[in-house]
Amino acid sequence: MAVIASAPGKVLMTGGYLILERPNAGIVLSTNARFYAIVKPLYEEIKPESWAWAWTDVKLTSPQMSRETIYKLSLKHLTLQPVSSSSASRNPFVEHAVQYAVAAAHAKFGKDKTDALQKILLQGLDITILGCNEFYSYRNQIELQGLPLTPESLALLPPFSSITFNAEESSGQKPEVAKTGLGSSAAMTTAVVASLLHYLGVVDLSSGKKVDADLDIVHMIAQTAHCIAQGKVGSGFDVSSAVYGSQRYVRFSPEVLSSAQGAVKGIPLEEVISDVLQAKWDHERKKFSLPPSMTLLLGEPGTGGSSTPSMVGAVKKWQKSDPQNSLETWRKLSEANSALELHLNALSGLAEKHSDAYKNVINRCSVLTSEKWVGGEDESSQAVIEALLGARNSMLGIRNHMRKMGEAAGIPIEPESQSELLDATMNMEGVLLAGVPGAGGFDAVFAVTLGASGDNVIRAWSSRNVLALLVREDPNGVSIENNDPRAKEITIAVSSIRIE
């Protein structure tokens, strides 16, 4: 039986840069863009002589990149050796996910289950990875076809479209895939880890049976695989949201993964993963989602990409060179982040306690610019208006401090082109928030709109050469799917055929 797991991409709404250090928090929204991993046996039967083998086969397929790699997995050392590939490029995220998930199965199972695990592994592992179109930039294809820069044009693309690569630069760097910044590597790693752990019987992620203890195992293994694959211990908010969904997040102490980093030094992988599973993971998460009748929009300005690692490096350099001013800027930014979180939580509470007043205010404000958000008919309506205006002011404060940090560090956290776009967006009817997600730069902008006002924002963005993506908030994390996601594509294609 095939196991299909999916994990969502993310948008870091607040906490850019600060989230790298404890105890600073960030608000991360999971999205409807999902990465899928399909795991099934590579062979129908185990050959009698295979029990003597020390290796099994693993096949990794990425249809969107037209890549297929065959590996040999050592059943003793859990190392992966590629034996044939349609591409020179390797996928370290999937490779580490496979190794660490199998090591977790060994670490969790007693000797009584070892034979059953070996039987499963000796049938080989056939792994297919698929990412929703929303993870990748198709802006160039749309422009080449002469189509308007609208979500409707994006919707014309077949699901799981082939991915094109950026042209190779003159510096000789290998080309990269053009992405939209939704955390594809974290979502992919999480989906592969979840599908394998479920397939091997380490966890049960079935609908209705999902428990925190199983999700915690997925989180620990995915977090470890992702960090080791990228060569550094990041904040981990992207993996956490891929596992648990939208949340308020405080990072784990990097020391948690010291044993995993030691794996490179020759410590047996099963021992390393056992230590990881028993370590004191001190990250903090609290469920969070946007208040009702609010919509997350994400736009791709098409003004070139930004390198998050180099921008983070510049900020760290500034912190060392000017500790007093950097500390003060971070303090103010942290306060603005907390204030926004407070106002959004207040709005969620008001929606629950005073639903009629909340709906009336949202509907009224959705067709007005913010300076006209006045005149609550009663105390609860006034409270909604005050929370809306408080959230807006907090966002303006966040943007101001992020700009100052960028100027001091000499990097474009909110470039002038983005500032003009965000100011224009904030001045539209029904717009509550607008900003640059995550580390900022030129990659993307986000907006949070009230009621049905999002359509006007999408049209306005299109007129400014900004492509609104088909991304929305979906607060759900990792899940096991009942059907192959490509089956929807087939159904759509068949239903569109007309019989003459």
Side-chain angles (χ1 to χ4, degrees), residues 126-148:
D126 187 346
I127 303 169
T128 302
I129 52 173
L130 298 159
C132 284
N133 290 346
E134 288 75 25
F135 284 104
Y136 305 102
S137 174
Y138 292 95
R139 185 187 175 100
N140 288 344
Q141 289 92 313
I142 288 172
E143 289 179 328
L144 285 171
Q145 292 177 41
L147 295 170

Side-chain angles (χ1 to χ4, degrees), residues 101-120:
V102 174
H106 280 285
K108 295 293 286 184
F109 291 159
K111 289 185 178 179
D112 57 321
K113 290 188 177 180
T114 303
D115 282 354
L117 176 61
Q118 290 292 84
K119 281 182 181 178
I120 295 172

Side-chain angles (χ1 to χ4, degrees), residues 6-13 27-36 132-135 180-184 187 237-238 240-247 288-290 296-298 437 446 469-479 481:
S6 71
K10 53 69 193 170
V11 173
L12 184 64
M13 195 165 70
I27 293 175
V28 54
L29 304 178
S30 53
T31 70
N32 58 344
R34 299 186 81 85
F35 229 99
Y36 296 83
C132 284
N133 290 346
E134 288 75 25
F135 284 104
T180 56
L182 292 177
S184 57
F237 74 86
D238 43 6
S240 188
S241 62
V243 175
Y244 301 107
S246 295
Q247 62 190 268
F288 180 92
S289 60
L290 289 175
L296 172 71
L297 300 178
L298 203 67
F446 76 86
L469 305 178
L470 295 166
V471 175
R472 298 292 181 268
E473 187 204 8
D474 179 345
N476 298 301
V478 70
S479 68
E481 305 289 337

Side-chain angles (χ1 to χ4, degrees), residues 90-97 225 229-230:
R90 292 176 64 171
N91 190 324
F93 296 100
V94 174
E95 290 177 12
H96 282 85
Q230 66 183 358

Side-chain angles (χ1 to χ4, degrees), residues 392-460:
R392 273 184 65 89
N393 289 333
S394 299
M395 189 71 230
L396 291 170
I398 291 168
R399 287 181 54 203
N400 180 44
H401 298 310
M402 290 283 274
R403 272 196 308 272
K404 284 183 177 177
M405 181 162 61
E407 289 163 9
I411 51 171
I413 292 178
E414 188 184 293
E416 192 175 332
S417 59
Q418 301 286 61
S419 292
E420 290 174 4
L421 172 62
L422 294 173
D423 289 342
T425 302
M426 288 283 277
N427 290 329
M428 293 179 199
E429 291 90 348
V431 174
L432 179 66
L433 311 173
V436 286
F442 296 95
D443 289 347
V445 292
F446 76 86
V448 175
T449 61
L450 306 179
S453 61
D455 291 344
N456 295 330
V457 175
I458 290 168
R459 281 193 290 271

Side-chain angles (χ1 to χ4, degrees), residues 12-21 24-28 235 237 249 330 333-334 336-338 340 395 398 402 405 436-439:
L12 184 64
M13 195 165 70
T14 70
Y17 299 96
L18 269 71
I19 205 168
L20 291 166
E21 296 181 9
N24 299 314
I27 293 175
V28 54
S235 66
F237 74 86
Y249 177 80
W330 275 43
L333 182 54
S334 180
N337 286 340
S338 298
L340 177 58
M395 189 71 230
I398 291 168
M402 290 283 274
M405 181 162 61
V436 286

